[in-house]
Amino acid sequence: GGRGAAASPAASARFERCLYAVGFLDLFGVSMVVPLMNLHIKSLGASHTVAGIVGSLYGVMQLFSSTFVGCWSDIVGRRYSLLACILLSALGYFLLGNSTTVLLFALSRVPVGIFKHTLSISKALLSDLVSERDRPLVMGRFNAASSVGFILGPVVGGYLAEFEGGFCQTSFICASIFLLNGGLVWMLPWSEENTSNRDHYQDKGTNNCSAKSNHNLHLKSASSRAVTNRSFFQSPWIQVATVLKKIKGIACSNLWDVFLVRFLMSVAILLYYSNFTLALEERFEVKPLFAGYLMSYSSALGVLAGCLLGPITRLYGHNTYRLLLHSSTFTCTLILLYASAPSIWMVILSSTFLAFSTTIGRTCIIDLELTVGGNEASGTLLGVGQSVTSVGRIIAPLLSGIAQEFSPCGPPSLAVGLALLAIVIMNANKQKYRSHGSVKLKNQ
């Protein structure tokens, strides 16, 4: 028994490190290809309109598939769903490298649009591994590792694009990276994790929870694994029916305000970035190259913010609601500062702190979803949250275009209003959030 308890933190640590690597490689591979896709489809003879329609195809499929795939991972288990998503995404990028016509290009985006939910399932797996108290810290590290890949990927992809057939080579490298991720996931000590993760929660439960609640947690975990193992061998129709039942349960739950806050803050941040380069050029006569450097600088600070999330959550006593409220208020203030900035130095100042507030807010809203909704359907919750963000990505460009008709500062000004509305909703429902937060604090 002592040996199993000792192995528990080591097994969870190995899982966490491997999933950090999966997140880094995932965004590294994707960010190599995505900046080159418009150039490639236009080289195939597509018009601007056709290129835009094909580009939006991915977003529409992600909107409808993220909830289903996330819920499916709750039913069949993280291992099989994550492997399926990785391998089918690899197939999509392999087909993308072989696309010689616009039709083949569009078809190659179908498996990626439906199954490219590797990051969401990895986050769901992380939430299964760690306690609620440690979840923001682990999620912050995962986001930081993924962001590093997003920073390095475009540099490597741009370098490879200089060579003849560079896009095809880049797509094949991306597909190979996904296959490497599949190997990492396959080699994870899943059977050891099942036993050691129980011991890990038992050790934490000795200090943090009562014996009764700890016993219930073990029974619930064992039951969930048994259901998962049976569900993988069920017919597809039974799995679909179970998925729809779970989604209906989420839709009828009291999580509407959490998802509405996520939607409003997502749209606000997207509006801030929507015309960033154009607005700087019109307001301060700054060249696009400088705007690109400023955005890369913000991304690098976002990585640092992810690493600092642990000390910040400890400073807040692991009260996710209060940290989310303060970070959202800070984000709203910084966007207002950017919209009314009299000089470029004020823009740099607001961008610096905005990188921290948005990174913290993005992690906290996911943690709040899982805390209020419960971990028993973490894949479904993360999938619904991803769908909410996808709706924001569809709506934000339209709102930005309308707001820009009035002023270059129109999109960020509208973003301030949406962020204020999110803050009002959080304050109106603070009693519900605090009740969940008090449970978390009581279990420390």
Side-chain angles (χ1 to χ4, degrees), residues 15 48 61 73 77-78 106-107 110 115 132 146 170 195 199 256 275 279 282 335-336 348-349 358 396 404 412 425:
F15 255 75
H48 292 286
M61 287 187 293
S73 75
R78 310 288 184 224
L107 290 176
V110 174
F115 292 101
E132 286 189 13
S146 303
T170 305
T195 56
D199 294 332
W256 67 269
N275 72 331
E282 291 185 4
I335 296 176
L336 178 61
I348 296 173
L349 179 66
T358 54
Q404 284 183 77
I425 292 172

Side-chain angles (χ1 to χ4, degrees), residues 258-425:
V258 179
F259 291 125
L260 182 57
V261 167
R262 177 167 182 165
F263 171 75
L264 292 171
M265 292 305 300
S266 297
V267 175
I269 294 167
L270 288 168
L271 284 171
Y272 167 79
Y273 286 110
S274 62
N275 72 331
F276 189 76
T277 302
L278 179 62
L280 290 186
E281 186 176 3
E282 291 185 4
R283 294 173 62 191
F284 307 107
E285 299 181 355
V286 172
K287 294 182 179 179
L289 180 62
F290 179 83
Y293 285 141
L294 186 57
M295 293 180 73
S296 297
Y297 163 73
S298 298
S299 299
L301 289 178
V303 174
L304 178 62
C307 297
L308 294 176
L309 199 56
I312 294 173
T313 53
R314 285 195 294 271
L315 180 66
Y316 273 78
H318 301 276
N319 190 329
T320 304
Y321 160 72
R322 195 157 61 93
L323 182 54
L324 176 63
L325 180 62
H326 290 178
S327 66
S328 300
T329 305
F330 197 32
T331 296
C332 179
T333 304
L334 290 170
I335 296 176
L336 178 61
L337 182 64
Y338 159 74
S340 58
S343 67
I344 190 62
W345 295 108
M346 194 66 72
V347 173
I348 296 173
L349 179 66
S350 62
S351 297
T352 299
F353 290 103
L354 198 63
F356 286 89
S357 65
T358 54
T359 301
I360 293 170
R362 185 167 58 247
T363 305
C364 286
I365 192 65
I366 292 174
D367 184 67
L368 193 62
E369 287 173 9
L370 296 173
T371 301
V372 177
N375 271 336
E376 67 277 1
S378 55
T380 309
L381 291 169
L382 291 172
V384 173
Q386 191 62 38
S387 294
V388 169
T389 304
S390 298
V391 173
R393 290 195 184 102
I394 295 171
I395 293 177
L398 175 63
L399 295 178
S400 176
I402 296 173
Q404 284 183 77
E405 295 291 338
F406 298 94
S407 167
C409 298
S413 300
L414 180 59
V416 171
L418 295 177
L420 280 174
L421 181 58
I423 293 167
V424 170
I425 292 172

Side-chain angles (χ1 to χ4, degrees), residues 192-213:
E192 179 184 357
E193 183 271 334
N194 284 342
T195 56
S196 62
N197 191 40
R198 260 200 318 275
D199 294 332
H200 181 54
Y201 275 117
Q202 189 171 12
D203 291 343
K204 288 181 179 294
T206 302
N207 298 322
N208 300 337
C209 305
S210 66
K212 182 178 179 181
S213 62

